Protein backbone atom coordinates (compact mmCIF):
# COMPACT_ATOMS: atom_id res chain seq x y z
CA UNK A 1 0.00 0.00 0.00
CA UNK A 2 2.80 2.42 0.85
CA UNK A 3 4.57 1.88 -2.47
CA UNK A 4 1.33 2.37 -4.39
CA UNK A 5 1.05 5.90 -2.97
CA UNK A 6 4.73 6.62 -3.53
CA UNK A 7 4.56 5.44 -7.15
CA UNK A 8 1.56 7.69 -7.73
CA UNK A 9 3.33 10.65 -6.10
CA UNK A 10 6.38 10.06 -8.28
CA UNK A 11 4.31 9.79 -11.48
CA UNK A 12 2.41 12.94 -10.55
CA UNK A 13 5.64 14.84 -9.95
CA UNK A 14 7.31 13.74 -13.18
CA UNK A 15 4.25 14.28 -15.38
CA UNK A 16 3.45 17.74 -13.99
CA UNK A 17 5.04 20.60 -15.89
CA UNK A 18 6.58 23.37 -13.84
CA UNK A 19 4.16 26.29 -13.71
CA UNK A 20 1.12 24.05 -14.23
CA UNK A 21 0.12 23.97 -10.58
CA UNK A 22 -1.56 27.06 -9.14
CA UNK A 23 0.11 28.46 -6.00
CA UNK A 24 3.06 26.07 -6.50
CA UNK A 25 4.65 27.14 -9.80
CA UNK A 26 7.93 25.37 -9.03
CA UNK A 27 6.24 21.99 -8.47
CA UNK A 28 6.88 19.53 -11.25
CA UNK A 29 9.59 18.36 -13.57
CA UNK A 30 10.99 19.83 -16.78
CA UNK A 31 11.17 16.58 -18.78
CA UNK A 32 8.86 18.04 -21.44
CA UNK A 33 11.42 20.74 -22.25
CA UNK A 34 14.05 18.07 -22.81
CA UNK A 35 11.75 15.79 -24.83
CA UNK A 36 11.00 18.49 -27.37
CA UNK A 37 14.59 19.66 -27.90
CA UNK A 38 16.81 18.17 -30.59
CA UNK A 39 18.75 15.23 -29.16
CA UNK A 40 22.44 15.42 -29.99
CA UNK A 41 23.31 12.02 -28.53
CA UNK A 42 21.85 9.49 -26.14
CA UNK A 43 24.34 10.17 -23.36
CA UNK A 44 23.63 13.90 -23.13
CA UNK A 45 19.88 13.24 -23.29
CA UNK A 46 20.02 10.67 -20.48
CA UNK A 47 22.25 12.87 -18.30
CA UNK A 48 19.86 15.83 -18.66
CA UNK A 49 16.82 13.67 -17.91
CA UNK A 50 18.57 12.10 -14.90
CA UNK A 51 19.46 15.53 -13.55
CA UNK A 52 15.97 16.95 -14.06
CA UNK A 53 14.20 13.99 -12.45
CA UNK A 54 16.64 13.73 -9.55
CA UNK A 55 16.42 17.46 -8.80
CA UNK A 56 12.61 17.35 -8.76
CA UNK A 57 12.53 14.26 -6.53
CA UNK A 58 15.09 15.71 -4.10
CA UNK A 59 13.02 18.89 -3.83
CA UNK A 60 9.49 17.49 -3.62
CA UNK A 61 9.87 13.86 -2.51
CA UNK A 62 12.91 14.03 -0.22
CA UNK A 63 12.07 10.66 1.36
CA UNK A 64 13.03 8.84 -1.89
CA UNK A 65 16.35 7.73 -3.34
CA UNK A 66 16.51 7.45 -7.10
CA UNK A 67 18.69 4.37 -7.54
CA UNK A 68 18.62 4.03 -11.33
CA UNK A 69 16.75 5.32 -14.36
CA UNK A 70 16.55 3.16 -17.47
CA UNK A 71 15.53 4.62 -20.83
CA UNK A 72 13.91 2.73 -23.68
CA UNK A 73 13.59 4.40 -27.07
CA UNK A 74 14.67 4.06 -30.68
CA UNK A 75 14.98 6.54 -33.53
CA UNK A 76 11.29 6.25 -34.46
CA UNK A 77 10.30 6.95 -30.86
CA UNK A 78 12.58 9.98 -30.68
CA UNK A 79 11.02 11.45 -33.83
CA UNK A 80 7.62 11.10 -32.13
CA UNK A 81 8.90 12.45 -28.78
CA UNK A 82 8.31 9.13 -27.00
CA UNK A 83 10.62 7.83 -24.30
CA UNK A 84 9.82 5.08 -21.82
CA UNK A 85 11.33 5.32 -18.35
CA UNK A 86 11.86 2.73 -15.69
CA UNK A 87 12.78 4.37 -12.40
CA UNK A 88 14.19 2.23 -9.62
CA UNK A 89 13.86 3.89 -6.24
CA UNK A 90 14.03 3.15 -2.53
CA UNK A 91 13.06 4.82 0.71
CA UNK A 92 15.77 6.86 2.43
CA UNK A 93 14.51 5.65 5.79
CA UNK A 94 14.79 2.00 4.71
CA UNK A 95 16.90 1.46 1.57
CA UNK A 96 16.08 -2.26 1.56
CA UNK A 97 12.52 -1.34 0.52
CA UNK A 98 12.79 -0.67 -3.18
CA UNK A 99 10.77 -1.00 -6.36
CA UNK A 100 10.59 0.36 -9.88
Amino acid sequence: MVFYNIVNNLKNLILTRKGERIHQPEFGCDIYKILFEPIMNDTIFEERMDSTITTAVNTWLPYLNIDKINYFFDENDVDNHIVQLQIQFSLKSNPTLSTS
Side-chain angles (χ1 to χ4, degrees):
M1 182 69 167
V2 171
F3 274 115
Y4 177 77
N5 292 335
I6 292 171
V7 169
N8 283 336
N9 289 343
L10 184 58
K11 283 182 186 178
N12 183 42
L13 175 65
I14 292 172
L15 296 176
T16 301
R17 297 174 192 220
K18 282 189 176 182
E20 183 177 342
R21 209 159 171 196
I22 297 173
H23 301 295
Q24 283 187 315
E26 292 300 312
F27 181 83
C29 191
D30 282 333
I31 63 168
Y32 293 102
K33 289 181 181 178
I34 298 168
L35 283 175
F36 291 101
E37 290 179 0
I39 298 174
M40 296 308 212
N41 67 45
D42 295 349
T43 304
I44 292 173
F45 171 78
E46 290 177 10
E47 287 174 359
R48 290 189 63 208
M49 289 288 279
D50 285 350
S51 175
T52 300
I53 291 169
T54 302
T55 299
V57 168
N58 288 340
T59 302
W60 297 101
L61 303 173
Y63 53 88
L64 289 183
N65 284 322
I66 299 297
D67 300 323
K68 186 172 184 178
I69 303 174
N70 296 315
Y71 299 90
F72 306 99
F73 58 92
D74 61 25
E75 289 196 24
N76 293 329
D77 290 338
V78 170
D79 291 340
N80 293 315
H81 308 288
I82 298 171
V83 175
Q84 294 181 35
L85 304 174
Q86 178 188 34
I87 301 175
Q88 296 174 349
F89 61 90
S90 59
L91 295 175
K92 285 187 178 179
S93 63
N94 188 354
T96 60
L97 290 175
S98 65
T99 192
S100 63

